Amino acid sequence: MRYDDITEAIGNTPLVRIDPAVHGLRTVDLYAKLEMLNPFGSVKDRAAWNMLRPGLDAAVAERAEVVELSSGNTAKALAALAGLHGLTFRSVTNRMRVPELRELLLLLGARIEELPGRSECLDPTDTDDPLTQFHRALADDDSAHLHTDQYFNPRNTEAHATGTGPEIVKDLGGRPPDWFVACVGTAGSSSGVARVLREHDPNVGVLGLVAAKSDFIPGIRTIDEVNEVGLFDPATYDAIEAVTADEAIDGMVELNRRCGLLAGPTSGAAYRGAVRHLRALDGTRPERTTAVFIACDRVESYLGYVRRRRPELLGRAPHRNSPATVTEAELAAVRAVDVPAARRWIEEERPLVIDLRGSHAYAALHIEGSLNLVDELFEQQVHGGLPFSRRQPVLLVCPVGEKSARFAALLTRMGHPDVRSLAGGVVAWRDAGAPLVRE
Ligand SMILES: Cc1ncc(COP(=O)(O)O)c(C=O)c1O
């Protein structure tokens, strides 16, 4: 294989069968589409290149900056592609949650702009989210930039309809699989592949996977973020199911240790989600079932993610106090207070108010007198024991009241007598018209 430039190496990724002795399904042939073997390391290489190409000549002539709202793989691919063509790249995001990716972007020469928004993925219906506002402002901005616009650009989907999908059909001998499974971020890969597979057979089943409520799996939406936005069309999917971060890591470790696939957590989520869904169908049809899932990217960037969530996998002592271990019963017992009750309590007893959001979100708007302890840092503190006196009542605050409830349950288990969670979080506080201050 000899190429004139690295973009020619994008696509044509292998389709590899997972050993049935590992996945355990008797009548299913399960394959991984190894998008992690693209040159910049992920499924997003195809979309990034396809979105960038049409505007490239003009961008080079104007020395325009390439801009994208991405904190992960799209940004990585665009940074490399921009550099290849002598252009600069700016990544705009709500919160860079994978430090290795952030450093890699800086190494590639990218400019990173973090905004105080709430969600991982762009939600244009959330008009208060600074990411949405930035997205709108880009359309009016007449400075020299090339905005690839991955959440709305049809060339994102098209990259997979012309590449990923047809490659799968070809490698399966001209027939589409019975099931196609993919994690959903912008929805470009799942909708592009699904469209092509259904042109071959309208009965192909499509399973979309998202992260469980308030759980974080890098690069994909949470179940709360699933709405009809941009390229996402619910009609694409026969089912949308949630995978927990723990399931994603378990799936990833099985791919790493048993299948020789050095794939990351989203691949693990796709694998685990596929096996869980297909288990219910196993043996119900006379013929064998063929299924394909996408192995989106590689594991190396996620060692910090694994260290924080599952230190025992890296030979470290497991965390004694982790919010991931909170049970449904503990959650149900949490004292979740609504906005009027929280305001009265603050007025009368002056609890310590801890805001678990990112520092940008906190700086933009917060409850007066609250202390900002970003959830990841707070979690590390809690691993070592209660970070404040038992005599100090505490009100925990997060974006929508889910994370704070989980931490409240954990602190209660650790022996704190009076920790409460703001029901509905800062969003409910704001919607109730309660005062918020700016840094
Ligand atoms: C690791 C990873 N997996 C899956 C996806 C989802 O892909 P898509 O945006 O095509 O839905 C992304 C998107 O950035 C990703 O970074």
Side-chain angles (χ1 to χ4, degrees):
M1 262 174 287
R2 181 174 156 164
Y3 300 126
D4 283 333
D5 96 53
I6 190 67
T7 59
E8 293 169 24
I10 296 173
N12 288 315
T13 55
L15 190 67
V16 174
R17 185 163 180 257
I18 304 293
D19 184 351
V22 176
H23 64 62
L25 302 169
R26 284 181 302 112
T27 61
V28 179
D29 296 311
L30 180 61
Y31 294 86
K33 176 72 170 158
L34 299 192
E35 289 302 293
M36 60 193 242
L37 294 184
N38 276 304
F40 314 123
S42 87
V43 66
K44 305 303 295 201
D45 292 14
R46 297 178 191 257
W49 181 222
N50 203 45
M51 293 187 296
L52 189 65
R53 228 170 7 195
L56 199 54
D57 288 345
V60 170
E62 291 171 34
R63 305 174 74 83
E65 183 170 59
V66 180
V67 184
E68 183 53 274
L69 275 60
S70 162
S71 53
N73 284 318
T74 309
K76 190 170 34 153
L78 284 172
L81 286 164
L84 179 68
H85 295 92
L87 298 171
T88 57
F89 171 66
R90 177 160 51 125
S91 163
V92 184
T93 165
N94 272 341
R95 185 168 159 194
M96 280 265 168
R97 295 186 64 169
V98 181
E100 294 94 332
L101 277 177
R102 168 187 245 286
E103 293 198 323
L104 187 54
L105 283 178
L106 292 172
L107 187 70
L108 289 170
R111 220 152 49 90
I112 298 176
E113 200 166 314
E114 277 178 282
L115 300 172
R118 288 190 280 274
S119 57
E120 177 79 3
C121 294
L122 178 70
D123 175 0
T125 58
D126 185 353
T127 47
D128 286 333
D129 192 318
L131 200 57
T132 312
Q133 290 166 5
F134 185 87
H135 185 261
R136 290 193 180 162
L138 266 180
D140 304 331
D141 182 356
D142 53 9
S143 69
H145 68 262
L146 195 172
H147 177 206
T148 38
D149 203 7
Q150 62 165 343
Y151 285 93
F152 290 91
N153 191 336
R155 292 185 65 88
N156 174 356
T157 312
E158 185 195 282
H160 301 285
T162 54
T164 326
E167 289 168 24
I168 292 172
V169 174
K170 179 170 144 275
D171 287 338
L172 290 177
R175 291 189 45 187
D178 300 299
W179 277 93
F180 172 65
V181 180
C183 288
V184 182
T186 64
S189 50
S190 42
S191 27
V193 173
R195 193 205 300 158
V196 168
L197 300 184
R198 287 190 179 134
E199 278 165 17
H200 286 265
D201 178 354
N203 296 320
V204 171
V206 177
L207 171 63
L209 295 165
V210 291
K213 246 179 187 328
S214 75
D215 233 343
F216 172 59
I217 304 175
I220 63 173
R221 294 171 195 233
T222 66
I223 190 89
D224 299 327
E225 290 163 355
V226 168
N227 40 33
E228 296 178 42
V229 158
L231 302 172
F232 177 79
D233 175 3
T236 300
Y237 309 93
D238 293 279
I240 296 237
E241 294 177 6
V243 178
T244 65
D246 260 336
E247 286 175 306
I249 293 175
D250 287 338
M252 179 187 90
V253 170
E254 198 157 292
L255 293 175
N256 300 161
R257 294 185 179 176
R258 300 289 316 282
C259 306
L261 301 182
L262 300 191
T266 322
S267 310
Y271 170 54
R272 257 306 148 104
V275 172
R276 197 179 63 188
H277 189 87
L278 295 167
R279 192 172 292 130
L281 311 173
D282 198 14
T284 59
R285 296 181 353 146
E287 67 275 33
R288 294 188 70 76
T289 298
T290 309
V292 171
F293 70 93
I294 295 212
C296 332
D297 68 356
R298 296 178 63 90
V299 65
E300 288 88 341
S301 301
Y302 302 106
L303 293 175
Y305 176 81
V306 174
R307 192 181 314 120
R308 273 194 301 282
R309 284 168 178 76
R310 299 279 289 279
E312 67 280 10
L313 288 171
L314 305 180
R316 295 165 183 247
H319 299 314
R320 276 182 303 129
N321 308 308
S322 161
T325 61
V326 165
T327 64
E328 288 302 317
E330 285 173 320
L331 264 183
V334 162
R335 295 173 76 179
V337 287
D338 63 13
V339 175
R343 292 185 74 178
R344 268 197 312 277
W345 196 43
I346 293 172
E347 191 71 27
E348 288 162 11
E349 296 198 35
R350 307 241 156 256
L352 181 62
V353 181
I354 298 181
D355 188 325
L356 299 166
R357 295 173 303 152
S359 54
H360 285 79
Y362 175 82
L365 282 175
H366 59 262
I367 297 172
E368 189 162 19
S370 62
L371 183 73
N372 185 210
L373 273 172
V374 179
D375 51 10
E376 278 157 17
L377 286 180
F378 190 56
E379 183 170 342
Q380 280 170 29
Q381 288 187 318
V382 171
H383 290 156
L386 278 177
F388 31 68
S389 155
R390 285 183 167 72
R391 282 197 294 277
Q392 171 70 62
V394 174
L395 176 65
L396 296 177
V397 177
C398 72
V400 290
E402 282 160 9
K403 205 162 274 174
S404 56
R406 199 161 272 280
F407 275 103
L410 178 66
L411 296 180
T412 305
R413 183 207 294 167
M414 291 165 71
H416 198 290
D418 195 4
V419 55
R420 306 180 196 185
S421 161
L422 177 64
V426 177
V427 170
W429 184 277
R430 182 201 62 198
D431 291 350
L436 288 163
V437 293
R438 194 176 293 274
E439 202 54 25

